[in-house]
Amino acid sequence: EAGVVQSPRYKIIEKKQPVAFWCNPISGHNTLYWYLQNLGQGPELLIRYENEEAVDDSQLPKDRFSAERLKGVDSTLKIQPAELGDSAVYLCASSLEGGLYYEQYFGPGTRLTVT
Amino acid sequence: GIQVEQSPPDLILQEGANSTLRCNFSDSVNNLQWFHQNPWGQLINLFYIPSGTKQNGRLSATTVATERYSLLYISSSQTTDSGVYFCAGGNPQGGSEKLVFGKGTKLTVNP
């Protein structure tokens, strides 16, 4: 069974440029998460989807970040415009269902560097 | 929200040694997971263990939910065990269904 797939693995952009990250969850997993991991820290939740509905986006900086999961499968996270402080690893995870009763599985992440 | 504390923050071992990593959480959890983040950044699932004891090869974990802590045991450590170990817990009470991660334990196993 394929795991969570993310692309690109690495991205270098100049500040003020837009950037997008893509995630394909494990087949059959209805819940999808985007996490942000800063250097030396644990991941922090940005947004959680139940199917195509964003049910928890309280940690998403909505002035510059947006996300979508149009058909309830793969998802895109966008930053526009990027700032120097956005340099981090962006992780996607999925679980069978929500409610924290199911194990979460993580993708390899996208390492973003903003110069 | 829940707070998760891990100890020790850093651990250096010689190959073959045993170790215990600890995770304390501030409130009850119904999801508790241990992960190993390898040098390439991939988070690898080790255990889903909101309570009880599980074993997988040289690794085992115990969560005492009533006392709000979990332990990860690594026996006969190998250099490939190096990396950062995270525990993460979650509780849907209060409406936020998210895993809260500790800051991790950085393990270095020397040959």
Side-chain angles (χ1 to χ4, degrees), chain B residues 23 25 49-53 62-71:
Chain B
C23 174
F25 32 99
I49 187 167
S51 65
T53 297
T62 294
T63 296
V64 183
T66 54
E67 297 188 19
R68 301 178 183 174
Y69 72 88
S70 184
L71 302 174

Side-chain angles (χ1 to χ4, degrees), chain A residues 46-64:
Chain A
L46 288 173
I47 189 168
R48 173 172 65 94
Y49 280 93
E50 298 287 350
N51 298 299
E52 63 271 13
E53 182 182 0
V55 294
D56 184 356
D57 62 357
S58 57
Q59 305 301 312
L60 191 72
K62 298 181 185 63
D63 56 337
R64 297 184 300 107

Side-chain angles (χ1 to χ4, degrees), chain A residues 43-111:
Chain A
E44 298 177 16
L45 182 70
L46 288 173
I47 189 168
R48 173 172 65 94
Y49 280 93
E50 298 287 350
N51 298 299
E52 63 271 13
E53 182 182 0
V55 294
D56 184 356
D57 62 357
S58 57
Q59 305 301 312
L60 191 72
K62 298 181 185 63
D63 56 337
R64 297 184 300 107
F65 286 65
S66 63
E68 60 184 13
R69 192 185 184 199
L70 292 176
K71 296 184 179 180
V73 180
D74 55 351
S75 175
T76 302
L77 177 69
K78 298 178 182 178
I79 308 175
Q80 183 171 11
E83 297 179 352
L84 294 177
D86 295 331
S87 295
V89 176
Y90 292 82
L91 294 163
C92 180
S94 70
S95 63
L96 195 60
E97 300 286 350
L100 290 172
Y101 294 104
Y102 298 91
E103 195 168 357
Q104 293 186 23
Y105 296 88
F106 284 76
T110 296
R111 184 177 297 276

Side-chain angles (χ1 to χ4, degrees), chain B residues 15-67:
Chain B
E15 201 167 24
N18 303 328
S19 62
T20 300
L21 283 59
R22 186 178 179 104
C23 174
N24 292 328
F25 32 99
S26 61
D27 202 349
S28 59
V29 295
N30 67 332
N31 183 323
L32 192 288
Q33 292 186 235
W34 282 97
F35 299 91
H36 175 213
Q37 190 163 44
N38 64 22
W40 296 271
Q42 175 75 58
L43 277 167
I44 298 167
N45 291 48
L46 296 178
F47 295 102
Y48 171 78
I49 187 167
S51 65
T53 297
K54 291 185 178 179
Q55 181 160 5
N56 184 2
R58 296 181 294 105
L59 273 60
S60 64
T62 294
T63 296
V64 183
T66 54
E67 297 188 19

